[in-house]
């Protein structure tokens, strides 16, 4: 290999100095000319966006290289965050904020006649996730870089991210999200980092001597994993971490003989078949489907990531001895669970490590985050499918299970039921591998994502495991990065906070507590209200321009945005809307605090009930918004295509945050935190992190209603009869009857029957009927409080002031202290090493 004769680092030093001092506009123009290859006559708006993006990336690249060199020199312990989903959204604004260049860059472009925010609209969202789980992974990467931690995000480079949602005739339709159609200026292809990932084939046994046997997985069908990297800058430091995304390529691209042998057409067919592995993100959130392609994705991801992690380790170590001291792997839910088995396979079959040693290292390396307790979301794979796709892994799962159950037996001899519950294999007509159990057994840490959720894990879904190894279980309450969700999304509020308490809150969100003494200050309150009103006016303009709906910023902006799911109870919110409609029509002279109710969220394409609820929302909206008796007081909007970039517009403009899931169903929620951080008040149940939000902001500053998790459990144990509530409450009955009898859809009166049937005849599994009355009463308190603007504003300030806990900076620090045990690495750009 050629070794450069020039001192590369000296040249890099010089380039960096030039880059850092070069006026942004020059860099931007150079990129337009040399990279985008356009001039002022031929450049489109998108070309200008691309030029600006490349100019910003140039500022990141030197820091990126330096950061990676430093990790290598210090042989730092690294965190690998393995997640099949990263809902990162747009990169441009975030990168500028973290570089501290947002305002300068905006000004420089303005002077040259460009509008930064308009250019940024050309960046497609990186929608490589479904909802909260994927967004959490994205927030974690920001906090790891800001805390100067050697962290890597490993993900999948899906060609199609989460589908684009459109509303046609009130129904959701799904369009493919071809986000890579134009070039992605943020990614760098790494064709040198390619790994084969094997599928199918069979296992061969061969003698090792002394009566022992080794195993070989042969006659497989390999696919190639190729890396694409994106830079993740920290806020206000020089750290730039790596987000590595895997893309599937045909192995035959790398084996030209297939082509030369004349099997050209077959080779090309194989190519497109292999490449389907990273073609599309599965759009199910909180449900699992036993599709073969999905299992392929999971193994492809696990195998590629592990090979890369071991390659990096092997570069500087010649034994595996230190691996658990240098590598921490966090599994974001069970989707990458096969990594546990894959690491064992590599240890045993390829590196010939004895089982006990291999297993000890594996469990010291892995940690697992559970995200849900909904039974339909717990991953289980048919043994027959695993057998066909990954025969060697199935053998290893059985061996892990045999040894584990031996342990359980020692603790609880004779307890066959317990053995059955804890087994990695579920018995039955179709045997299944339980991925949750596999993750728990293969990890040294198992965490829930809020206190309540962790409690439920310990007491209910993984009770046996908790009793077996209580020390593994811990709570890590989720957070959000306030760089994106406050500094970037809400420029006005950030500016007001900065001028009031300084800018330390940007890296220490607890600093916001300094706003507490100002909560009742009339002057400060006035400025606070002005910010919210301006944000609401902006959003109203946006809604009018984008969706053609005119909404008055004088209305309460009452917002529920999140994936459409029965447990999240968008329907309960809508039942309140219908009740309000009836109330106004019955009492047209009464005072009614005007409200605009916004809904937004995607339904999984196969989730019929969630899609029908969208249709019901749009039908109710149509009626309410066009009724002369109600339209001055009530407005309903369904915001299509809820995504990170839309979310960034919504939170700053919201007054009321709807967090109304049935207690005991939402693991944490993070939307709740984004709303509160932007000064919206929460109406919610004691579910997920709402419990901790109440603790932080105080019970006077939040609207809590409904049953708590224990009451839900007790009600169901007693035998819940939703029909009782229907007959007892005339207002509730009227709402249900209107939905059932076609009031909102006269042309097809039975359309919404499945919705009311679920409530009345199928047990109302999410207890909407039971919580309805309490919800209504709470909404009346909300409206009353809103008319008292001093009280409302004080509550709003108190919410923001007490959001310190909900920065992912705090979350990540807890993972570091309790699970990862890694040290920060400061990056100095003086470039004197090497
Ligand atoms: C934060 C966020 C979510 C998660 O919202 P929850 O209310 O916690 O379910 C989902 N999607 C997007 C785009 C988000 O930004």
């Amino acid at each position: 290999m050629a070794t450069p004769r020039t001192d590369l680092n000296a040249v890099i030093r010089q380039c960096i100095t030039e880059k850092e001092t070069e006026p942004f506009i020059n860099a931007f123009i150079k990129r337009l000319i040399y990279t985008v290859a356009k001039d002022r006559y031929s450049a489109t708006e998108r070309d200008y966006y691309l030029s600006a993006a490349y100019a910003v990336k140039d500022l990141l690249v030197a820091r990126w290289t330096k950061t990676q060199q430093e990790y290598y020199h210090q042989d730092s312990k690294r965190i690998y965050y393995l997640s099949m989903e990263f809902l990162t959204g747009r990169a441009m604004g975030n990168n500028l904020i973290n570089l501290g260049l947002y305002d300068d860059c905006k000004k420089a472009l303005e002077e040259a006649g460009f509008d930064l925010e308009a250019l940024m609209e050309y960046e497609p969202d990186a929608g490589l996730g479904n909802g909260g789980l994927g967004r959490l992974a994205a927030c974690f990467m920001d906090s790891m870089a800001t805390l100067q931690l050697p962290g890597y995000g490993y993900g999948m480079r899906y060609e199609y991210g989460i589908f684009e949602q459109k509303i046609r005739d009130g129904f959701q339709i799904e369009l493919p999200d071809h986000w890579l159609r134009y070039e992605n200026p943020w990614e760098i292809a790494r064709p040198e980092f390619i790994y084969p990932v094997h599928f199918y084939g069979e296992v061969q046994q061969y003698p090792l001597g002394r009566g022992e046997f080794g195993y070989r997985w042969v006659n497989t069908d390999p696919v190639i994993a190729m890396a694409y990297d994106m830079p993740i800058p920290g806020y206000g430091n020089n750290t730039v971490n790596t987000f590595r995304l895997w893309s599937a390529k045909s192995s035959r691209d790398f084996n030209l003989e297939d082509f030369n042998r004349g099997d050209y057409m077959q080779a090309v067919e194989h190519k497109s078949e292999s490449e389907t592995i990273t073609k599309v993100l599965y759009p199910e959130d909180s449900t699992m489907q036993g599709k073969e392609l999905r299992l392929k994705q999971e193994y492809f991801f696990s195998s590629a990531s592990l090979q890369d992690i071991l390659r990096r380790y092997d570069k500087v170590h010649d034994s595996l001895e230190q691996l658990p001291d240098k590598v921490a792997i966090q599994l974001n839910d069970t989707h990458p669970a096969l990594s546990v088995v894959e690491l064992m396979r590599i240890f045993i079959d390829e590196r010939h490590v004895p089982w006990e040693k291999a297993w000890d290292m594996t469990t010291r390396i892995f940690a697992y985050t559970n995200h849900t307790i909904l039974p339909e979301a717990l991953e289980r794979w048919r043994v027959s499918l695993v057998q066909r796709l990954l025969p060697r892994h199935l053998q290893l799962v059985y061996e892990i299970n045999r040894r584990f159950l031996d342990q359980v037996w020692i603790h609880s001899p004779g307890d066959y039921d317990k053995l059955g519950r804890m087994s990695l294999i579920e018995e039955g007509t179709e045997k299944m591998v339980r991925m949750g159990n596999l993750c728990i057994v293969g990890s040294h840490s198992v965490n829930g994502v809020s206190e309540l959720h962790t409690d439920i894990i310990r007491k209910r879904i993984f009770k046996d495991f908790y009793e077996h190894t209580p020390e593994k279980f811990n709570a890590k309450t989720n957070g959000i990065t306030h760089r994106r969700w406050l500094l970037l999304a809400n420029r006005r509020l950030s500016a007001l906070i900065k001028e009031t308490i300084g800018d330390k809150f940007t890296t220490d969100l607890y600093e916001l507590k300094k706003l507490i003494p100002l909560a009742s200050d009339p002057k400060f309150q006035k400025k606070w209200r002005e910010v919210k009103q301006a944000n609401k006016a902006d959003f109203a303009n946006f809604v009018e321009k984008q969706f053609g709906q005119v909404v008055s910023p004088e209305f309460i902006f009452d917002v529920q945005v999140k994936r459409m799911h029965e447990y999240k109870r968008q329907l309960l919110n809508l039942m309140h809307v219908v009740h309000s409609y009836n109330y106004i029509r019955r009492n047209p002279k009464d005072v009614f605090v005007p409200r605009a109710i916004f809904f937004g969220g995607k339904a999984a394409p196969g989730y019929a009930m969630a899609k029908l609820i969208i249709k019901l929302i749009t039908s109710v909206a149509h009626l309410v918004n066009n009724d002369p008796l109600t339209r001055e007081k009530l407005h309903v909007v369904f915001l299509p295509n809820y995504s990170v970039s839309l979310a960034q517009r919504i939170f700053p403009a919201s007054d009321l945050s709807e967090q109304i899931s049935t207690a005991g169903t939402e693991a944490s929620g993070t939307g709740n935190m984004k709303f509160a951080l932007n000064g919206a008040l929460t109406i919610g149940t004691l579910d997920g992190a709402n419990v901790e939000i109440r603790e932080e902001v105080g019970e006077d500053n939040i609207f809590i209603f409904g049953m708590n998790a224990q009451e839900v459990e007790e009600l169901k144990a007693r035998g819940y009869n939703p029909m009782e509530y229907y007959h007892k409450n005339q207002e509730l009955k009227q709402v249900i009857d209107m939905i059932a009898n076609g009031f909102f859809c006269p042309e097809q009166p039975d359309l919404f029957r499945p919705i009311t049937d679920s409530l009345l005849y199928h047990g109302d599994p999410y207890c909407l009927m039971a919580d309805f009355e309490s919800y209504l009463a709470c909404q009346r308190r909300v409206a009353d409080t809103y008319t008292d603007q001093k009280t409302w504003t004080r509550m709003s300030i108190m919410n923001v002031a007490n959001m310190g806990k909900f920065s992912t900076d705090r979350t990540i620090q807890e993972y570091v202290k309790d699970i990862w045990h890694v040290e920060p690495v400061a990056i100095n750009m003086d470039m004197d090493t090497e």
Side-chain angles (χ1 to χ4, degrees):
M1 198 174 81
T3 319
R5 228 166 298 152
T6 350
D7 176 358
L8 269 195
N9 265 16
V11 180
I12 292 172
R13 254 195 308 274
Q14 194 188 337
C15 291
I16 290 169
T17 316
E18 281 165 15
K19 270 271 164 266
E20 302 266 306
T21 51
E22 184 183 29
F24 182 80
I25 212 68
N26 294 15
F28 165 73
I29 298 297
K30 273 191 208 161
R31 281 307 211 156
L32 179 70
I33 297 169
Y34 295 114
T35 305
V36 184
K38 288 287 184 79
D39 61 20
R40 61 180 301 185
Y41 305 108
S42 56
T44 62
E45 286 273 298
R46 176 174 291 105
D47 293 328
Y48 291 124
Y49 153 67
L50 287 173
S51 312
Y54 281 118
V56 172
K57 189 172 73 177
D58 287 348
L59 293 167
L60 295 172
V61 170
R63 291 175 167 86
W64 195 3
T65 306
K66 177 70 181 170
T67 303
Q68 301 310 313
Q69 279 183 7
E70 203 57 44
Y71 295 163
Y72 177 77
H73 284 305
Q74 298 198 14
D75 190 18
S76 318
K77 181 171 185 182
R78 285 140 158 122
I79 308 153
Y80 294 103
Y81 197 80
L82 264 56
S83 179
M84 296 276 289
E85 301 189 14
F86 282 87
L87 194 56
T88 49
R90 291 175 175 152
M92 177 81 152
N94 189 246
N95 288 343
L96 282 171
I97 289 281
N98 282 15
L99 282 165
L101 292 176
Y102 191 96
D103 292 326
D104 291 348
C105 184
K106 184 174 159 67
K107 196 160 146 247
L109 285 169
E110 214 164 82
E111 281 165 8
F114 297 100
D115 175 354
L116 171 66
E117 272 117 26
L119 294 188
M120 292 195 312
E121 287 298 306
Y122 283 90
E123 179 173 358
D125 271 43
L128 307 181
N130 276 288
L133 174 150
R135 185 53 234 173
L136 183 76
C139 285
F140 276 8
M141 288 200 295
D142 184 79
S143 282
M144 286 196 283
T146 298
L147 294 167
Q148 302 189 301
L149 296 166
Y152 296 73
Y154 275 103
M156 290 276 271
R157 186 176 176 274
Y158 301 109
E159 222 171 288
Y160 295 88
I162 187 64
F163 63 84
E164 183 190 346
Q165 178 194 55
K166 289 228 160 124
I167 301 297
R168 198 165 289 162
D169 302 326
F171 289 99
Q172 164 176 303
I173 56 169
E174 301 97 27
L175 301 178
D177 162 49
H178 197 188
W179 71 296
L180 295 168
R181 179 169 55 244
Y182 305 99
E183 66 196 281
N184 175 2
W186 303 106
E187 72 177 5
I188 296 183
R190 303 287 193 197
E192 71 275 28
F193 294 123
I194 53 168
Y195 304 98
V197 176
H198 299 270
F199 293 101
Y200 308 106
E202 68 247 0
V203 181
Q204 274 179 359
Q205 197 185 42
Y206 63 95
L208 287 170
R210 284 178 286 117
E212 289 183 30
F213 292 96
Y215 296 87
R216 257 192 236 112
W217 184 16
V218 296
N219 298 327
T220 59
D221 188 359
V223 175
I224 300 293
M226 178 177 145
Y228 287 79
D229 290 347
M230 298 224 255
I232 306 293
Y235 178 87
N237 60 31
N238 291 315
T239 298
V240 178
N241 282 341
T242 300
F243 174 29
R244 179 157 284 183
L245 297 155
W246 296 112
S247 181
K249 311 275 164 183
S250 167
S251 56
R252 305 201 187 171
D253 277 359
F254 299 86
N255 185 356
L256 290 172
E257 280 165 44
D258 278 325
F259 285 83
N260 297 338
R261 246 189 262 125
D263 241 347
Y264 174 75
M265 287 313 287
Q266 210 197 320
V268 174
E269 246 172 60
H270 181 271
K271 177 175 163 65
S272 63
E273 202 183 292
S274 309
E275 295 178 358
T276 55
I277 291 182
T278 48
K279 190 64 80 182
V280 59
L281 165 77
Y282 275 86
E284 281 78 30
D285 187 66
S286 304
T287 44
M288 83 99 29
Q289 282 190 17
K291 295 275 163 61
E292 176 164 341
L293 180 60
R294 168 69 185 195
L295 186 60
K296 273 189 172 175
Q297 288 186 337
E298 294 186 357
Y299 178 64
F300 173 83
F301 173 67
S302 300
S303 170
S305 304
L306 273 184
Q307 291 184 63
D308 198 44
I309 291 167
L310 289 173
R311 173 199 55 81
R312 192 172 291 117
Y313 175 85
D314 286 336
K315 262 202 310 196
V316 288
H317 300 91
D318 36 59
S319 94
L320 288 171
E321 212 51 42
Q322 288 196 70
L323 192 69
D325 303 318
K326 296 295 176 189
V327 169
I329 301 179
Q330 191 69 37
L331 303 173
N332 196 24
D333 213 314
T334 56
H335 316 148
L338 284 167
S339 334
V340 171
V341 191
E342 175 69 353
L343 186 58
M344 283 300 283
R345 190 191 64 79
I346 295 171
F347 282 158
I348 306 258
D349 293 358
E350 296 180 3
R351 312 266 179 129
H352 306 290
V353 181
W355 185 281
E356 287 76 14
K357 173 91 191 154
W359 186 244
D360 174 65
M361 288 200 288
T362 299
T363 52
R364 282 164 64 201
I365 287 167
F366 284 104
Y368 156 57
T369 303
N370 171 278
H371 280 270
T372 174
I373 53 169
L374 297 180
E376 65 269 33
L378 293 179
E379 267 193 304
R380 292 143 71 247
W381 288 102
R382 289 198 314 276
V383 164
S384 55
L385 173 59
V386 181
Q387 166 72 53
R388 194 157 51 80
L389 196 66
L390 303 164
R392 178 59 182 142
H393 295 77
L394 186 65
Q395 288 184 342
L396 290 164
V397 166
Y398 272 111
E399 182 59 15
I400 293 168
N401 197 35
R402 187 186 66 75
R403 288 168 184 254
F404 172 65
L405 293 181
D406 280 353
Q407 288 296 312
V408 176
W409 185 261
I410 291 169
H411 285 259
S412 313
D415 194 343
Y416 288 96
D417 285 349
K418 185 184 237 184
L419 238 49
R421 292 193 302 267
M422 294 179 81
S423 174
L424 305 193
I425 307 294
E426 185 175 289
E427 302 293 334
T429 42
E430 181 81 66
K431 280 197 196 188
M432 310 288 272
V433 181
R434 294 165 167 156
M435 306 308 259
N437 294 19
L438 171 61
C439 285
I440 297 175
V441 173
S443 300
H444 64 280
S445 163
V446 178
N447 75 280
V449 288
S450 70
E451 294 292 341
L452 175 66
H453 168 232
T454 309
D455 225 55
I456 294 172
I457 288 178
R458 288 179 175 133
K459 296 201 180 114
R460 282 223 314 265
I461 56 165
F462 293 131
K463 182 167 183 281
D464 297 307
F465 290 92
Y466 176 61
E467 286 167 359
H468 184 64
T469 47
E471 68 283 357
K472 278 190 187 182
F473 289 78
N474 62 92
K476 293 286 166 281
T477 300
N478 282 166
I480 55 173
T481 171
H482 58 279
R483 266 77 60 180
R484 180 179 293 268
W485 296 112
L486 179 59
L487 298 189
L488 174 62
N490 200 338
R491 303 292 296 151
R492 285 193 188 94
L493 190 60
S494 316
L496 174 59
I497 293 171
K498 211 174 279 188
E499 79 178 38
T500 311
I501 62 167
D503 66 359
K504 287 211 194 93
F505 74 98
T506 56
T507 50
D508 176 6
L509 201 60
Y510 287 103
E511 278 283 314
L512 291 177
K513 285 208 185 293
K514 291 184 176 161
L515 295 172
I516 294 173
L518 294 164
S520 301
D521 179 305
K523 274 202 220 115
F524 187 65
Q525 280 208 349
K526 181 160 174 287
K527 289 185 195 167
W528 192 268
R529 272 194 297 271
E530 280 165 5
V531 166
K532 183 60 83 181
Q533 275 315 118
N535 289 343
K536 287 172 73 173
D538 275 1
F539 187 64
N541 284 332
F542 170 80
V543 169
E544 184 172 356
K545 228 171 87 196
Q546 288 293 307
F547 313 122
Q549 296 228 38
V550 183
V551 186
S552 163
E554 300 307 315
F555 284 30
I556 304 180
F557 279 14
D558 172 350
V559 186
Q560 187 171 23
V561 286
K562 46 182 79 248
R563 285 298 289 251
M564 295 298 302
H565 206 295
E566 286 164 282
Y567 84 83
K568 291 176 183 277
R569 300 202 293 193
Q570 283 92 355
L571 180 58
L572 179 61
N573 184 346
L574 194 67
M575 285 158 64
H576 169 245
V577 174
V578 173
H579 173 264
S580 301
Y581 173 78
N582 295 339
Y583 179 89
I584 297 169
R585 288 184 52 101
R586 264 201 313 270
N587 311 284
K589 298 265 156 53
D590 269 23
V591 193
F592 185 92
V593 189
R595 269 194 206 231
I597 301 95
F598 295 90
F599 292 87
K602 294 174 186 176
Y607 190 169
M609 186 63 83
K611 293 174 104 170
L612 192 57
I613 291 171
I614 290 178
K615 171 63 179 171
L616 180 57
I617 293 170
T618 56
S619 303
V620 170
H622 185 74
L623 194 86
V624 168
N625 300 348
N626 292 300
D627 187 329
L629 276 179
T630 57
R631 70 182 174 207
E632 304 298 316
K633 294 174 182 166
L634 204 57
H635 201 106
V636 182
V637 181
F638 188 89
L639 300 164
N641 204 40
Y642 181 54
S643 55
V644 171
S645 52
L646 182 56
Q648 288 173 211
R649 295 178 181 275
I650 294 171
F651 298 120
S654 299
D655 294 310
L656 187 64
S657 155
E658 298 272 353
Q659 306 301 335
I660 59 177
S661 52
T662 318
T665 61
E666 187 75 270
S668 163
T670 50
N672 46 4
M673 302 167 189
K674 298 170 203 164
F675 276 108
L677 182 63
N678 283 278
L681 303 190
T682 302
I683 181 168
T685 47
L686 285 177
D687 199 16
N690 297 352
V691 177
E692 290 157 73
I693 291 177
R694 182 180 68 157
E695 267 167 31
E696 295 300 302
V697 305
E699 54 188 326
D700 294 344
N701 296 315
I702 189 167
F703 299 98
I704 297 292
F705 74 93
M707 294 180 285
N708 64 27
Q710 200 183 332
E711 288 164 343
V712 171
E713 212 179 316
E714 284 164 5
L715 175 68
K716 290 200 169 169
R718 277 202 307 275
Y720 169 45
N721 180 8
M723 201 55 100
E724 260 174 46
Y725 297 83
Y726 173 79
H727 288 301
K728 225 169 43 191
N729 184 333
Q730 282 312 297
E731 293 176 325
L732 173 58
K733 182 171 185 302
Q734 191 187 6
V735 169
I736 298 290
D737 290 346
M738 286 164 78
I739 297 171
N741 298 337
F743 186 85
F744 299 106
C745 189
E747 65 279 15
Q748 206 183 329
D750 283 341
L751 183 63
F752 299 121
R753 265 303 163 80
I755 294 176
T756 49
D757 283 353
S758 161
L759 298 181
L760 297 177
Y761 307 112
H762 305 144
D764 181 19
Y766 300 106
C767 303
L768 284 75
M769 305 293 283
D771 273 346
F772 180 76
E773 198 176 315
S774 166
Y775 182 54
L776 242 56
C778 196
Q779 286 286 22
R780 281 192 288 269
R781 285 202 287 129
V782 168
D784 286 347
T785 311
Y786 192 77
T787 57
D788 174 1
Q789 281 291 291
K790 271 187 207 149
T791 303
W792 187 276
T793 308
R794 181 177 49 72
M795 290 172 74
S796 168
I797 297 170
M798 288 299 283
N799 268 263
V800 175
N802 289 297
M803 278 301 109
K805 174 172 180 181
F806 304 105
S807 169
T808 32
D809 295 353
R810 187 273 314 152
T811 312
I812 289 295
Q813 278 162 337
E814 290 182 5
Y815 275 89
V816 167
K817 183 164 111 352
D818 301 338
I819 304 172
W820 299 336
H821 310 292
V822 297
E823 297 291 331
V825 175
I827 308 301
N828 180 347
M829 285 308 286
D830 294 342
M831 297 295 280
D832 38 22
T833 46
E834 211 185 44

